[in-house]
Amino acid sequence: MQFQNQTAISTGAASGMGLLLAQCWAAEGGNVLMCDINEAVLMEKAAEINAKGAGRAVGMLCDVRDYAQVCAARDRAVAEFGSIDLMCNFAGGTAVRMLQVDRGQYPEFPDVPIEVFDWGLDVNLRAQMYFDHAVMKQMREQKSGLIINIGSITGEEGDGYGVEYGTAKSGAMYGLTKSVAKAGAPHNVRCVCVSPGPVMTRPAMANMKTLMGRAADPQEIIDLVLFLASDKGQFINGTNILIDGGRNAMNRG
């Protein structure tokens, strides 16, 4: 119960690693505000967490691209639980995949409608900055907190088709994380970026090569986040942690 009486916000929390973080945080006695645009599934998952009787979960419909909704989520977390101790920005995804862009119709980067890339930049970078900005106001008042941005191996590799994804993730990994860490330092607020390589949140990830010959189990990523939030991770700040099974060390030609 190492997170008892502590509060986390997790975005993208109706599925994937956002949901897994919420489940693990609550299992350790913590309270969690779960944000997602899939309200029906979100409420179902929050109810499942609450039925286990450890920490408490509250689901909240939130479009992470809308700053007013982001602030409403922050205020709901404080109203329900009194503090925000951890902010995890899991919402995201490659725009060309998430919006189901037909590569036959749009075969190369300059052919993809700019609106697709606008969506990706908003979800993968602007939304993370929105939540960082919003929760910093609360964390500054309470003189404590940890903000976790989520990067990707694609931020190191680039992507010649889903160009916005590598661009956004690189921005989160370096510029955003270092800057927010500097802004938070006078108030005892840390900011760290966790950047996964391939993770088995969907089958296609098994096709991405790593030095270890496999993709990560999602729990391995969440275990790193929980370590950063625990008493043992308190000296880690202002940096990007690549958890990629050695993919970035490979000579991929």
Side-chain angles (χ1 to χ4, degrees), residues 48-174:
E48 289 175 1
I49 290 173
N50 289 328
K52 294 182 178 179
R56 190 161 72 91
V58 171
M60 183 170 180
L61 180 68
C62 180
D63 184 339
V64 297
R65 300 170 298 166
D66 185 329
Y67 185 67
Q69 292 188 41
V70 168
C71 290
R74 173 204 61 205
D75 295 344
R76 178 78 180 276
V78 175
E80 292 278 353
F81 305 122
S83 67
I84 301 171
D85 302 288
L86 174 65
M87 173 68 234
C88 281
N89 288 295
F90 279 110
T94 309
V96 291
R97 178 177 64 85
M98 300 293 288
L99 301 183
Q100 299 180 330
V101 170
D102 181 355
R103 188 150 188 171
Q105 182 179 4
Y106 305 113
E108 295 186 338
F109 162 59
D111 304 319
V112 177
I114 198 65
E115 294 81 8
V116 173
F117 293 131
D118 283 343
W119 183 94
L121 290 169
D122 283 349
V123 170
N124 292 297
L125 182 57
R126 189 189 301 271
Q128 298 205 62
M129 185 173 178
Y130 278 1
F131 264 100
D132 294 0
H133 182 266
V135 302
M136 181 69 79
K137 294 181 180 180
Q138 172 62 27
M139 291 179 174
R140 179 178 61 184
E141 290 183 11
Q142 66 193 35
K143 295 295 183 184
S144 65
L146 170 62
I147 294 169
I148 298 285
N149 294 325
I150 300 297
S152 169
I153 183 61
T154 309
E156 294 281 358
E157 295 177 331
D159 183 337
Y161 187 62
V163 170
E164 105 299 333
Y165 188 71
T167 301
K169 289 302 187 179
S170 181
M173 290 159 70
Y174 300 109

Side-chain angles (χ1 to χ4, degrees), residues 5-29:
N5 299 321
Q6 294 188 45
T7 299
I9 298 177
S10 181
T11 66
S15 62
M17 290 187 287
L19 171 59
L20 185 56
L21 183 278
Q23 293 168 332
C24 292
W25 185 265
E28 290 286 349

Side-chain angles (χ1 to χ4, degrees), residues 146 190-192 227-228 232-239 241:
L146 170 62
R190 293 182 296 134
C191 184
V192 180
F227 173 81
L228 292 168
K232 295 180 180 180
Q234 295 298 305
F235 199 59
I236 301 172
N237 190 23
T239 193
I241 301 175

Side-chain angles (χ1 to χ4, degrees), residues 17 195-206 208 214-221 243:
M17 290 187 287
S195 296
V199 183
M200 287 303 298
T201 50
R202 55 190 179 91
M205 291 294 97
M208 291 181 67
R214 66 174 178 86
D217 185 283
Q219 188 66 55
E220 293 176 290
I221 311 303
I243 176 168

